[in-house]
């Protein structure tokens, strides 16, 4: 067998597949976030305080990893101060603003509905990428948007019937989170290329922590931080399992695959959250919830197929030509 016909994957192919695996693992861990938050709200804690507890625990890990990473890069060219400032700002956008609005939304919504709304961020990545970054937008992908948002509208109608106006408030908070996280993914990609995934995540999360602590300081007294052991255990799970680990996993994935691919991988995320909500929170799912979920996943899945189809056809043409 010649080298050209060897079945061994090329380094670039291995890198892409590892990127997909990292993105999938990050999606699963991010799916646990809503579960931790809903359990923590049983301790009568508000969104800002819970976010502060999360980052009080998580930030030392990010600082340690950042210092170790920078030490290993000591012989590399120095990074500019403006690059650090941009990364701090992007981190605050993705892991303070997007997180805070998501936490507020979970005050009013079930985790599975919250996750469905947040799951629209791949579509916002596509729209914002076309609008702000001149990335191509395929007109044939518009049906995917229609299907996905029809599913969201169906679930919203079902939830609003039992939750009243609070559902609209929660949906607004989470939609803001979805837009912010999509913008974060687009802005993070070039910064990761310059800094590397580990250092970018560390600096970005420090930016999120600074914004969170300033926000808490402006709206709360230090005595507002609770001492309940059960709450701190949940905050520990939220900080490590749903923040530190997936934060690095997503950044490492972005170093290997595109923002769009990383976003679309999250298409399995609502399924994880739905299963965890039923198993842990003992929540029930109606037929309308299931139909809406299928429509949302189907819409994003359709876009994925349309996005990958030209590449698959191109590869087929190359194979037939050979």
């Amino acid at each position: 067998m010649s080298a050209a016909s060897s079945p061994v994957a090329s380094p670039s192919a291995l890198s892409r597949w590892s990127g997909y695996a990292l993105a999938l693992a990050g999606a699963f861990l991010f799916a646990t976030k809503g579960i931790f938050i809903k359990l923590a709200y049983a301790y009568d804690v508000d969104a800002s305080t819970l976010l502060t507890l999360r980052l009080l625990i998580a930030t030392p890990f990010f600082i340690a990893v950042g210092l170790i990473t920078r030490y290993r890069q000591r012989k590399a060219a120095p990074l500019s101060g403006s690059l650090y400032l941009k990364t701090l700002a992007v981190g605050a956008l993705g892991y303070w603003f997007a997180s805070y609005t998501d936490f507020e939304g979970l005050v009013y919504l079930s985790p599975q509905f919250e996750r469905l709304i947040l799951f629209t961020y791949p579509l916002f990545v596509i729209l914002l990428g076309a609008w702000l970054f001149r990335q191509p937008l395929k007109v044939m992908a518009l049906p995917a948007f229609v299907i996905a948002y029809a599913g969201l509208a169906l679930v919203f109608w079902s939830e609003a019937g039992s939750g009243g106006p609070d559902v609209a408030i929660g949906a607004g908070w989470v939609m803001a989170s979805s837009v912010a996280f999509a913008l974060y993914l687009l802005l993070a990609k070039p910064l990761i290329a310059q800094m590397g995934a580990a250092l970018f995540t560390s600096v970005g999360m420090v930016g999120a922590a600074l914004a969170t602590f300033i926000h808490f300081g402006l709206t709360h007294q230090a005595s507002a931080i609770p001492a309940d052991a059960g709450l701190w255990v949940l905050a520990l799970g939220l900080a490590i399992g749903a923040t530190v680990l997936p934060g690095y996993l997503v950044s490492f994935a972005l170093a290997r695959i595109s923002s769009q691919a990383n976003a679309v991988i999250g298409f399995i995320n609502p399924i994880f959250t739905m299963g965890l909500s039923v198993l842990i929170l003992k929540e029930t799912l109606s037929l309308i919830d299931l139909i809406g979920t299928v429509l949302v996943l189907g819409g994003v899945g359709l876009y994925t197929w349309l996005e990958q189809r030209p590449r698959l056809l191109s590869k087929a043409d190359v194979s037939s030509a050979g």
Side-chain angles (χ1 to χ4, degrees):
M1 182 179 293
S2 67
S5 61
S6 173
V8 177
S10 66
S12 59
L14 290 173
S15 178
R16 285 197 304 274
W17 282 109
S18 66
Y20 298 146
L22 290 167
L24 184 62
F28 173 76
L29 290 175
F30 273 133
T32 67
K33 182 179 67 174
I35 308 301
F36 281 116
I37 293 171
K38 292 299 280 190
L39 292 172
Y41 280 157
Y43 290 87
D44 196 27
V45 62
D46 66 7
S48 180
T49 302
L50 184 57
L51 186 56
T52 299
L53 292 179
R54 175 200 197 192
L55 289 175
L56 278 173
I57 297 170
T59 302
F61 291 91
F62 292 117
I63 292 174
V65 172
L67 291 175
I68 293 170
T69 301
R70 197 59 192 142
Y71 176 76
R72 290 178 175 175
Q73 297 175 350
R74 62 190 181 279
K75 295 182 180 179
L79 300 174
S80 67
S82 63
L83 182 60
Y84 279 107
L85 289 175
K86 289 178 183 177
T87 304
L88 289 171
V90 170
L93 172 67
Y95 290 103
W96 165 64
F97 183 78
S99 292
Y100 174 71
T101 50
D102 186 38
F103 279 40
E104 285 285 5
L106 277 163
V107 173
Y108 306 97
L109 303 179
S110 65
Q112 58 263 40
F113 187 33
E114 171 263 352
R115 193 61 17 178
L116 278 181
I117 299 174
L118 196 61
F119 177 62
T120 60
Y121 77 85
L123 304 182
F124 284 119
V125 167
I126 296 158
L127 292 175
L128 292 173
W131 178 35
L132 299 176
F133 299 93
R134 301 295 186 266
Q135 295 178 356
L137 176 63
K138 297 179 175 64
V139 176
M140 64 181 181
L142 293 179
F145 288 75
V146 174
I147 293 171
Y149 280 95
L152 272 183
L154 189 62
V155 176
F156 179 83
W157 174 73
S158 174
E159 296 276 339
S162 58
D166 285 352
V167 174
I169 296 173
W173 279 113
V174 180
M175 190 64 73
S177 177
S178 181
V179 173
F181 192 68
L183 191 56
Y184 162 81
L185 288 176
L186 290 164
L187 294 172
K189 182 72 175 177
L191 298 176
I192 290 173
Q194 297 178 69
M195 301 183 74
L199 184 60
F200 167 82
T201 302
S202 297
V203 176
M205 290 303 296
V206 169
L210 290 173
T212 298
F213 299 154
I214 291 171
H215 180 207
F216 181 83
L218 292 174
T219 57
H220 295 73
Q221 298 293 327
S223 58
I225 296 179
D228 193 294
L231 177 60
W232 278 90
V233 169
L234 291 171
L236 180 65
L238 179 62
I240 305 303
T243 304
V244 174
L245 292 177
Y248 283 108
L249 288 172
V250 168
S251 291
F252 283 126
L254 280 170
R256 292 164 172 81
I257 59 178
S258 69
S259 300
Q260 291 88 343
N262 187 80
V264 171
I265 289 291
F267 131 79
I268 196 66
N269 196 306
I271 299 298
F272 289 143
T273 301
M274 184 181 297
L276 292 171
S277 295
V278 172
L279 290 174
I280 298 174
L281 300 179
K282 308 302 180 185
E283 296 196 356
T284 58
L285 296 175
S286 69
L287 179 60
I288 292 178
D289 291 332
L290 291 174
I291 294 173
T293 299
V294 169
L295 287 172
V296 174
L297 297 180
V300 178
L302 174 61
Y303 178 82
T304 305
W305 180 75
L306 292 171
E307 177 72 12
Q308 296 299 323
R309 190 182 176 203
R311 300 177 189 176
L312 294 174
L313 290 175
S314 176
K315 290 180 180 178
D317 290 341
V318 170
S319 299
S320 62

